[in-house]
Amino acid sequence: GDKIKEGCAYAYSSIILYLYNRPKESKDDALKSITILQALGEYWDLSAAYVFKIFSCCISGSFKEALETNEEFLVLTNKAQNLQNLGWALQYFGKVNAFLGDISDKAIGCVKESIKLLEQTRDTMHKLEGIGWLAFLYLRKDEYDKAIENHKLCLQYVETSKNIFAKAKYYDAYGITLAWSGKYAEAREYHLKTLNINEELSRSDLEVELTKNYYIPRVNVIIQKMNIAN
C-alpha cells in the first residue's frame, strides 16, 4: 500500500513539475513512478507517469526518448487492455511523430484509432485533442480540406461548451489552418475571437503573444497586400 502511494505521489509530482515548466525534474519523477508502479501492476497512475514523461521529453527536445517511452506505453496498455490509456498512447504516437515531421499513414492511423477508443471510453477531452491533432497532421500533409473538416468537428463541440479555454485553443488552431489554406479573412476572424477571449481572461503567456503579435499581424499584412494587388 505504501509503495503504491509512493509511486502515485511521484506521478502527480511529475504532472505539477511539468505544469511549472520544470521538464527535467518532471521526467525524473515520472521515471521513479514508472519503476515503482510497473512492478505493482497499478495501471492508472502508471499511465499518467508515462504521459508526462513523454510530454517532458518533447518540450526538452528529447524526441527519440519520447518515442521510445511511447513504445513502452503502447506495449503496456495493449497488455493491460486498458482502452482509454491505449487511446492516449496511440494519440501520443501521432503527436510525437508530428513534432518530428513524420506525417506517415501510420501516424494518422494511430490518431484515428485513438479517437475511436476515446469515444468508446467517453473521454471527451482527449478525443477532442485527437481530432485537433488529426487536423494538424492533415495540415502538415497540405490536405487542407481534411484539416478544415476535422477542425470543424472540434468547433462543433466547443461552440456548445462552457469551456472558454477550449474555445480559445481551437479557434486559434482553426485560424492557423485557414491561413495555411489561403482563407486569410476567415483566419483573422477566428484569431480575433481567440484574442477577445484571452483579453477577457487576462491571459499572458506564449500562446497569447503568438496570437496577438504574430498570427493576427501576419494575416493583416497578407490581406493588405492582396487588396493592393487587386
Side-chain angles (χ1 to χ4, degrees), residues 148-183:
I148 287 170
E149 179 187 336
N150 280 281
H151 271 305
K152 283 181 176 177
L153 292 175
C154 293
L155 293 183
Q156 281 177 19
Y157 171 79
V158 298
E159 292 288 5
T160 58
S161 168
K162 294 179 181 179
N163 186 338
I164 52 175
F165 290 99
K167 283 185 181 179
K169 175 179 176 178
Y170 290 106
Y171 284 163
D172 226 21
Y174 189 43
I176 293 166
T177 297
L178 288 167
W180 277 36
S181 59
K183 299 180 179 182

Side-chain angles (χ1 to χ4, degrees), residues 105-166:
D105 289 341
K106 182 179 178 183
I108 289 173
C110 282
V111 175
K112 284 182 174 180
E113 183 61 26
S114 85
I115 293 165
K116 289 179 186 175
L117 291 172
L118 295 168
E119 170 78 30
Q120 191 177 333
T121 54
R122 300 182 182 180
D123 185 344
T124 303
M125 183 183 76
H126 285 101
K127 173 192 152 189
L128 189 64
E129 281 204 13
I131 296 169
W133 275 100
L134 187 58
F136 177 75
L137 287 163
Y138 281 128
L139 182 63
R140 290 292 303 274
K141 286 190 76 177
D142 296 334
E143 295 186 22
Y144 301 127
D145 289 345
K146 289 181 180 178
I148 287 170
E149 179 187 336
N150 280 281
H151 271 305
K152 283 181 176 177
L153 292 175
C154 293
L155 293 183
Q156 281 177 19
Y157 171 79
V158 298
E159 292 288 5
T160 58
S161 168
K162 294 179 181 179
N163 186 338
I164 52 175
F165 290 99

